[in-house]
Amino acid sequence: MDEERLRHWLAFASVKGIKRQVLKEILKMAGGPTPVFEEKGGATQVLLGYPELCLGRDMPGQELLASIRKSVSWRAVDKDLGYITRHGIKVITLDDDAYPPYLRATADPPFVLYVKGDAGLLDKTLVAVVGTRRASE
């Protein structure tokens, strides 16, 4: 994945103040995060064609995109990207073939996964134990 595309994924994953369901729909309709951050791109036209994405928000598509763009700290994104690069962390995005299909099929999958170590293990049958240190009675 090229660095600019990775920057856009990291930025998209950091968006605050917009419901995740709306972000997921924007991501699907725009074909990825890059059009969302391009000044001249199809994302604005996509949103203008789907006003239902703005339900519960008193803003049209252009304002929704502006709000998304404004919520991103590019300085923080670049800092994260530097850390990822220095520490050999693999980033797997929601549209990546390496993204675990069962996780992708959940109701609210993360936009990005950060992997340190053997990413191939994500393809194996896994068992997870989830619990608490202080179980209630």
Side-chain angles (χ1 to χ4, degrees):
M1 171 182 320
D2 68 71
E3 188 171 305
E4 192 63 15
R5 184 167 174 264
L6 179 55
R7 272 182 96 233
H8 289 147
W9 271 107
L10 296 175
F12 197 80
S14 74
V15 170
K16 304 281 188 269
I18 308 291
K19 292 181 181 179
R20 278 191 51 90
Q21 189 60 37
V22 171
L23 290 174
K24 283 174 24 181
E25 287 300 315
I26 291 170
L27 191 62
K28 185 168 65 174
M29 288 186 297
T34 299
V36 173
F37 297 109
E38 291 176 334
E39 288 300 318
K40 295 180 182 176
T44 301
Q45 294 305 317
V46 166
L47 282 178
L48 292 176
Y50 292 90
E52 64 271 14
L53 282 181
C54 301
L55 288 178
R57 302 189 64 81
D58 293 326
M59 62 176 72
Q62 281 185 303
E63 288 180 37
L64 179 56
L65 273 180
S67 179
I68 289 170
R69 292 171 180 154
K70 192 176 184 181
S71 79
V72 173
S73 166
W74 289 102
R75 175 181 271 175
V77 168
D78 289 335
K79 184 177 176 184
D80 290 346
L81 186 58
Y83 184 89
I84 287 165
T85 303
R86 282 192 311 277
H87 294 278
I89 296 170
K90 180 173 173 63
V91 178
I92 300 174
T93 62
L94 192 56
D95 69 346
D96 195 322
D97 290 337
Y99 199 96
Y102 288 115
L103 182 57
R104 184 183 286 128
T106 62
D108 194 18
F111 295 130
V112 294
L113 300 175
Y114 302 93
V115 180
K116 182 79 172 170
D118 185 1
L121 292 174
L122 295 172
D123 294 331
K124 305 286 183 197
T125 300
L126 303 171
V127 174
V129 178
V130 180
T132 180
R133 295 174 191 248
R134 297 185 193 133
S136 59
E137 295 186 33

